[in-house]
């Protein structure tokens, strides 16, 4: 009975979407969260919505947006004999400029350890006092607090052989960069639920105030996403863009002030390189001077990227355009042919939250559309 009721609820929400969708023009709605990308793919929502509503997957996958120049830095660190790289699993297979990855480096003798938390990385440093443990801090505002706490703990405990290579990115600045890009056409945003538990609503207000764009912070179940779409379409239809919360069970308007205080204690905003989007001002996090001993960049005297470092590795791979919503995964020449989850060319196919991986797994145009049948 519960399953039947859920189906009826979803059917009503789809009818609401159909009723609110404009008949005279297409709409581009972008989600900016890897978990949303996977949820939309798994639910088959794209196939259920009106043809003129186009769901785009934006730069919401931290592995996907990590720039080649950052990958080359940690690959070089991995080759040093006294270094152990501690990383989450998704970064293992991301190829750098020359096609090599951390997995390749490990196969050649580099010490690369997959960890499941920053505490695991700290334990690794304690167990290996003669080695430098470098934790790859990839993620958005969601993961930054735990990484910041590991730095604070390392300082308090005097763990001197631990450092963080911060690859953290911030969501609001990249949304603005997308809206300033003349190639990008977006009518509204399905805003990330997890990130918003930390930052709250206020950082998104500029979307409506300065760019007249709709935004809804949305949960991850199919009915959450459909409700978010209904709210977005209502804003667009009434020409009254604002930022609303659909995910009220997880997001407070003020977010999590304590988590933000922890982030601010250890990190400060800095310019950051994004795959496909280039250098975006104040869109990353760097470790403050008071924690410089735990900043990989300073400990290893890593220079700022040179002009050569700013070129993307594979010009045929369309990952950059996919992250901006200019192309869909199946519009890449490599998708499903030269680039598959078993043999990924670009990071959007490597990460479990990447748009290409989701399309490949869950759509008929990919290789796994019949998964589970």
């Amino acid at each position: 009975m519960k399953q039947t009721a859920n189906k009826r609820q979803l059917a009503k929400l789809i009818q609401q979407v159909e009723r609110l969708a404009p008949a005279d023009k297409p709409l581009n709605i972008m989600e900016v969260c890897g978990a949303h990308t996977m949820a939309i793919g798994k639910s088959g929502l794209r196939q259920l919505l009106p043809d003129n509503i186009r769901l785009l997957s934006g730069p919401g996958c931290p592995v996907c947006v990590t720039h080649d120049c950052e990958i080359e830095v940690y690959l070089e660190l991995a080759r040093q004999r006294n270094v152990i790289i501690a990383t989450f699993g998704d970064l293992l297979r991301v190829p750098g400029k020359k096609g090599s990855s951390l997995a390749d480096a490990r196969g050649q003798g580099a010490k690369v350890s997959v960890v499941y938390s920053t505490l695991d990385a700290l334990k690794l440093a304690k167990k290996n006092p003669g080695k430098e443990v470098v934790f790859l801090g990839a993620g958005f505002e969601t993961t930054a607090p735990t990484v910041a706490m590991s730095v604070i703990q390392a300082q308090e405990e005097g763990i001197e052989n631990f450092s963080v290579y911060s690859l953290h990115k911030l969501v609001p600045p990249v949304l603005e960069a997308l809206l300033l890009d003349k190639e990008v056409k977006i009518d509204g945003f399905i805003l990330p639920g997890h990130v918003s538990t930390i930052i709250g609503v206020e950082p998104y207000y500029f979307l409506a105030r300065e760019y007249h764009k709709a935004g809804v912070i949305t949960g991850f179940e199919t009915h959450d996403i459909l409700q978010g779409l209904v709210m977005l379409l209502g804003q667009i239809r009434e020409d009254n863009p604002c930022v609303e919360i659909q995910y009220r069970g997880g997001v407070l308007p003020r977010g999590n002030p304590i988590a933000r205080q922890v982030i601010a204690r250890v990190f400060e905003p800095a310019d950051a390189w994004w795959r496909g989007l280039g250098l975006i001002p104040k869109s990353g996090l760097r470790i403050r001077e008071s924690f410089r001993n735990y900043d990989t960049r300073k400990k290893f005297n890593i220079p700022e990227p040179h002009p050569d470092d700013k070129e993307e590795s594979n010009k045929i791979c369309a990952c950059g355009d996919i992250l901006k919503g200019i192309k869909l995964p199946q519009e890449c020449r490599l998708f499903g042919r030269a680039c598959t989850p078993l043999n990924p060319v670009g990071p959007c196919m490597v990460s479990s939250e990447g748009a290409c991986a989701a399309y490949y797994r869950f759509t008929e145009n990919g290789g796994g559309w019949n998964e589970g049948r």
Side-chain angles (χ1 to χ4, degrees):
M1 292 292 291
K2 185 177 180 181
Q3 193 174 33
T4 302
N6 286 340
K7 287 183 178 179
R8 287 174 181 166
Q9 181 188 23
L10 294 177
K12 287 180 180 179
L13 287 168
I14 291 172
Q15 288 174 358
Q16 286 181 270
V17 169
E18 291 172 342
R19 187 167 62 251
L20 290 168
D24 56 342
K25 67 173 184 177
L27 289 180
N28 290 329
I29 305 296
M30 176 177 279
E31 90 266 0
V32 197
C33 171
H36 281 146
T37 299
M38 292 302 291
I40 288 170
K42 187 174 182 179
S43 66
L45 271 183
R46 286 187 175 87
Q47 290 74 39
L48 299 176
L49 297 178
D51 292 339
N52 62 331
I53 295 181
R54 197 176 192 223
L55 296 183
L56 306 174
S57 297
C61 160
V63 172
C64 303
V65 301
T66 301
H67 198 278
D68 280 344
C69 63
E70 297 172 319
I71 296 171
E72 290 304 313
V73 166
Y74 67 64
L75 287 176
E76 182 59 34
L77 287 170
R79 298 183 187 107
Q80 298 191 26
R81 294 181 63 183
N82 69 322
V83 170
I84 299 174
I85 297 292
T87 179
F88 296 137
D90 268 5
L91 280 176
L92 263 187
R93 299 170 62 220
V94 180
K97 282 184 183 180
K98 299 176 183 177
S100 62
S101 65
L102 276 177
D104 296 325
R106 185 165 66 175
Q108 296 164 5
K111 296 176 178 63
V112 180
S113 180
V114 174
V115 296
Y116 298 95
S117 72
T118 52
L119 291 178
D120 289 343
L122 279 176
K123 291 176 184 176
L124 192 64
K126 290 179 182 179
K127 290 180 181 178
N128 296 273
K131 300 288 186 182
E132 287 288 340
V133 173
V134 174
F135 177 73
L136 304 183
F140 296 107
E141 292 92 337
T142 318
T143 58
T146 58
V147 177
M149 285 302 301
S150 73
V151 172
I152 294 170
Q153 184 175 339
Q155 187 183 67
E156 290 176 347
E157 296 184 13
I159 305 172
E160 297 180 353
N161 64 324
F162 173 80
S163 66
V164 172
Y165 181 40
S166 178
L167 306 170
H168 288 101
K169 304 292 193 291
L170 303 176
V171 169
V174 77
L175 299 183
E176 184 161 30
L178 287 168
L179 294 173
L180 290 171
D181 191 322
K182 294 181 180 178
E183 289 185 282
V184 177
K185 306 297 181 186
I186 301 170
D187 298 290
F189 290 97
I190 296 173
L191 295 169
H194 294 144
V195 165
S196 302
T197 63
I198 305 297
I199 68 174
V201 178
E202 187 176 351
Y204 302 121
Y205 283 162
F206 75 94
L207 295 173
R209 184 175 59 242
E210 299 176 25
Y211 296 96
H212 206 68
K213 300 297 179 182
V216 176
I217 298 168
T218 306
F220 303 96
E221 299 297 328
T222 305
H223 69 270
D224 291 327
I225 297 169
L226 281 170
Q227 285 175 350
L229 279 172
V230 168
M231 294 164 74
L232 275 171
L233 292 172
Q235 292 183 36
I236 293 169
R237 184 169 185 171
E238 295 170 11
D239 194 26
N240 184 29
C242 60
V243 179
E244 297 181 277
I245 302 175
Q246 182 279 329
Y247 190 32
R248 293 196 172 273
V251 175
L252 298 174
R254 293 177 63 239
N256 187 329
I258 295 175
R260 293 199 302 275
Q261 288 171 10
V262 172
I263 294 172
R265 179 178 170 186
V266 174
F267 293 107
E268 60 186 358
D271 299 349
W273 288 94
W274 293 63
R275 182 178 300 275
L277 290 150
L279 186 67
I280 301 177
K282 305 299 182 185
S283 65
L285 292 174
R286 286 207 178 178
I287 295 174
R288 290 184 181 276
E289 186 66 21
S290 54
F291 292 95
R292 64 172 293 127
N293 292 341
Y294 302 95
D295 184 349
T296 300
R297 285 183 170 89
K298 295 195 173 131
K299 182 175 274 193
F300 290 87
N301 295 315
I302 297 170
E304 292 296 320
H306 296 295
D308 288 347
D309 296 327
K310 300 171 188 177
E311 297 176 1
E312 302 283 4
S313 56
N314 193 312
K315 298 296 182 182
I316 302 176
C317 171
C319 188
D321 285 342
I322 290 166
L323 290 169
K324 294 196 291 185
I326 295 172
K327 288 185 177 180
L328 297 176
Q330 64 266 33
E331 293 171 338
C332 176
R333 289 162 54 189
L334 303 178
F335 177 79
R337 299 176 180 87
C339 185
T340 66
L342 291 177
N343 184 35
V345 175
C348 294
M349 187 65 86
V350 174
S351 173
S352 60
E353 294 188 344
C356 294
Y359 269 75
Y360 188 92
R361 184 177 179 186
F362 296 118
T363 71
E364 189 172 353
N365 292 320
W369 66 278
N370 58 350
E371 181 174 306
R373 293 189 182 184

